[in-house]
Amino acid sequence: MTDQATDKTSNAMWGGRFAAGPDAIMEAINASIGYDQRLYAQDIRGSRAHAAMLAHQGIITDNDAQAIREGLLTVLSEIEAGNFPFSAALEDIHMNVEARLKTLIGEPAGRLHTARSRNDQVATDFRLWVRDQCDAAIASLTALIEALLAQAEAGADWVMPGFTHLQTAQPVTWGHHMMAYVEMIARDRSRFIDARNRMNESPLGAAALAGTGFNIDRQMTAEALGFDRPMANSLDAVSDRDFALEFLSASSICAVHLSRLAEELVIWSSAQFRFVAMSDKWSTGSSIMPQKRNPDAAELIRAKIGRILGSTVALFTIMKGLPLAYSKDMQEDKEQVFDAADNLMLSLAAMTGMISDLTVNTDKLAAAASSGFSTATDLADWLVREAGLPFRDAHHVTGTLVAMAEDKGCDLPDLSLEEMQSVHGSITSAIFEVLGVHNSVASRQSYGGTAPSQVREQIARWKALLG
Ligand code: ARG
């Protein structure tokens, strides 16, 4: 890091009452510039809005505001060009930008911080950054929903085993399984939309904690920054990070969903299942075992919940018990959110790619769907419907038939009518119709059920919702 403040006598920005410069270790623990430089665009945007408002209110002159505006644009282009002299001695992005502005434009730079504090400044910058991440998450989640919808549409009729306890339970359709994730991912999306709406208020103008005696216009800066309104309590504005906690919470829930889908992809692509094949783009080979195609991306997505939830727990723990208003503890918010956001966006992009490129082995799915006595419930339901048995008795009769098939090493439809009738006399040949997996899934027409007709209705509903 090149240093724009190598003068160790005292900090250039707040060193008025300090005789000596900070100890090197103090500087190391205090500085956040190593990571909060990611807020540079938001910081400069906030400062521009603030300076324009100060001039509009007659608190600084138009000439000074103009110099500040131009200087800030120069700073922005220096940072974007990668030749900005970031300095750890200047602690954070706010003081780095302001110190550079001073070098560039001189005295007017010192007027920018009128009626403002780093406390409302950082709260504003960080809100703007997290708000952008909500928008990015919403867009990425929409893309994932679209990829899942395309899979669901292709395979609305494909039968596959539905599992409970990872044991074959009842046949379901591929489309139905994909649509289960559409529901989950859409709720994730709505959580980011909600969080974004709630966080979209401006802390700027809360100043250090108590507001300011200057005649500022908080409505004006709120509008300039795309916020719905200024926050109504200055103490709250500088001291809460619930918007970051909401972002992290929504990210964690989303990462849990992604980890479950990732796990299914890992299982389904294994040699024992072969339900799906991941494209080459999303697989890696082994350096020693030539036959391997490892689902690394899926495994990594499965793992990401570890760090995203870790960041969430970290920030909850940092915020817990902090007295109002600002405390330096809160500087520890950023790395957690940066890391979680980066990993969530990466996971969403990778998952969308994998789902879009997935090849489904429909023969394997169908064969697995009809094995494991998957239509035993259909048999029991038939006995209830057609032979008038109470469900409990039907369950018992079906269990006896399953045991018989198991003994013979065959599946339910392979038993003869005579064999079935030896267990219960009222069974007729019509029973064989419900033992087929296609009939089984087609019969599950209840709202939200696995029948292809139901799945198609849900696909149509989501397509209409997403426009
Ligand atoms: N770097 C600080 C942070 O991220 C900025 C606010 C500092 N405020 C203060 N009063 N020291 O929280």
Side-chain angles (χ1 to χ4, degrees):
M1 205 176 275
T2 41
D3 225 301
Q4 51 167 329
T6 39
D7 168 16
K8 287 283 178 245
T9 50
S10 73
N11 185 291
M13 310 299 291
W14 46 248
R17 66 181 286 260
F18 293 89
D23 186 277
I25 294 172
M26 176 59 201
E27 181 176 296
I29 196 171
N30 205 31
S32 54
I33 188 61
Y35 47 86
D36 71 11
Q37 49 183 275
R38 280 186 77 167
L39 300 176
Y40 73 91
Q42 290 76 14
D43 193 71
I44 290 168
R45 193 175 165 200
S47 287
R48 287 182 56 190
H50 184 66
M53 180 278 292
L54 291 177
H56 183 261
Q57 296 298 100
I59 300 168
I60 63 173
T61 64
D62 286 342
N63 279 348
D64 284 349
Q66 171 78 357
I68 290 170
R69 201 184 83 85
E70 279 163 19
L72 286 171
L73 288 174
T74 306
V75 173
L76 182 66
S77 58
E78 284 178 351
I79 295 176
E80 271 164 2
N83 52 27
F84 184 88
F86 285 113
S87 158
L90 288 164
E91 280 185 44
D92 56 25
I93 185 64
H94 324 295
M95 297 204 292
N96 270 268
V97 169
E98 197 185 319
R100 181 69 187 147
L101 189 66
K102 179 95 195 291
T103 309
L104 291 169
I105 67 169
E107 197 245 33
R111 301 187 188 279
L112 170 61
H113 214 51
T114 314
R116 187 178 75 169
S117 152
R118 271 190 296 156
N119 296 350
D120 59 338
Q121 194 177 354
V122 72
T124 304
D125 294 1
F126 199 34
R127 244 172 222 265
L128 289 171
W129 194 89
V130 176
R131 190 179 74 181
D132 282 350
Q133 295 300 307
C134 285
D135 289 337
I138 293 162
S140 298
L141 288 162
T142 306
L144 178 53
I145 292 170
E146 278 161 359
L148 288 163
L149 280 173
Q151 278 291 350
E153 202 161 29
D157 298 293
W158 301 342
V159 286
M160 67 179 282
F163 299 93
T164 60
H165 313 268
L166 197 56
Q167 307 283 322
T168 300
Q170 293 174 350
V172 296
T173 50
W174 172 262
H176 195 49
H177 203 110
M178 291 297 111
M179 290 306 287
Y181 283 104
V182 166
E183 295 289 332
M184 292 180 242
I185 300 300
R187 281 194 298 276
D188 291 334
R189 184 171 172 276
S190 73
R191 266 182 280 274
F192 284 106
I193 293 171
D194 288 349
R196 189 202 194 280
N197 284 340
R198 215 168 357 260
M199 77 178 66
N200 201 30
E201 294 186 335
S202 174
L204 195 58
L209 75 165
T212 173
F214 289 98
N215 175 32
I216 60 171
D217 183 346
R218 293 193 59 205
Q219 190 67 44
M220 181 178 168
T221 46
E223 261 167 43
L225 298 172
F227 288 117
D228 295 332
R229 64 193 79 84
M231 291 180 77
N233 183 297
S234 61
L235 292 167
D236 173 46
V238 292
S239 67
D240 206 358
R241 293 292 182 268
D242 61 350
F243 63 94
L245 292 173
E246 277 202 67
F247 176 79
L248 288 171
S249 303
S251 299
S252 296
I253 298 172
C254 179
V256 170
H257 290 152
L258 294 180
S259 79
R260 297 183 73 173
L261 179 52
E263 165 70 349
E264 299 209 299
L265 294 176
V266 170
I267 296 175
W268 292 347
S269 62
S270 70
Q272 288 68 26
F273 273 75
R274 287 278 175 259
F275 284 3
V276 300
M278 232 87 89
S279 81
D280 287 353
K281 283 200 275 183
W282 303 104
S283 318
T284 59
S286 157
S287 51
I288 181 164
M289 297 166 284
Q291 85 284 11
K292 291 295 285 287
R293 260 170 86 84
N294 295 329
D296 293 41
E299 294 169 273
L300 287 162
I301 294 172
R302 186 174 60 184
K304 292 295 187 193
I305 177 60
R307 62 198 292 175
I308 293 174
L309 183 60
S311 299
T312 307
V313 173
L315 188 56
F316 270 96
T317 315
I318 290 162
M319 294 307 296
K320 178 197 167 294
L322 284 186
L324 303 189
Y326 178 85
S327 296
K328 195 68 175 240
D329 307 51
M330 286 154 61
Q331 178 164 289
E332 293 283 315
D333 57 2
K334 289 167 213 62
E335 283 172 293
Q336 304 304 333
V337 177
F338 291 163
D339 191 73
D342 290 347
N343 283 286
L344 182 72
M345 302 311 157
L346 197 52
S347 299
L348 285 171
M351 184 59 91
T352 304
M354 273 193 297
I355 293 294
S356 305
D357 292 350
L358 205 60
T359 310
V360 184
N361 187 339
T362 53
D363 292 342
K364 276 273 186 194
L365 282 187
S370 41
S371 71
F373 314 111
S374 66
T375 52
T377 317
D378 299 270
L379 197 162
D381 287 350
W382 185 91
L383 289 168
V384 170
R385 219 172 32 240
E386 306 296 330
L389 269 66
F391 183 76
R392 283 295 157 215
D393 297 348
H395 185 282
H396 188 79
V397 169
T398 309
T400 311
L401 288 167
V402 166
M404 182 185 270
E406 214 161 26
D407 274 353
K408 292 191 63 187
C410 67
D411 264 307
L412 282 174
D414 305 322
L415 292 174
S416 69
L417 183 60
E418 293 70 36
E419 284 168 322
M420 294 209 199
Q421 284 171 338
S422 74
V423 177
H424 202 278
S426 59
I427 296 178
T428 70
S429 61
I431 192 108
F432 287 99
E433 272 171 41
V434 300
L435 296 183
V437 287
H438 286 281
N439 287 337
S440 167
V441 296
S443 74
R444 294 203 152 72
Q445 302 267 2
S446 54
Y447 180 78
T450 202
S453 57
Q454 279 296 321
V455 171
R456 288 210 168 82
E457 272 180 36
Q458 293 302 328
I459 295 171
R461 182 172 71 86
W462 277 111
K463 282 187 149 180
L465 276 173
L466 292 175

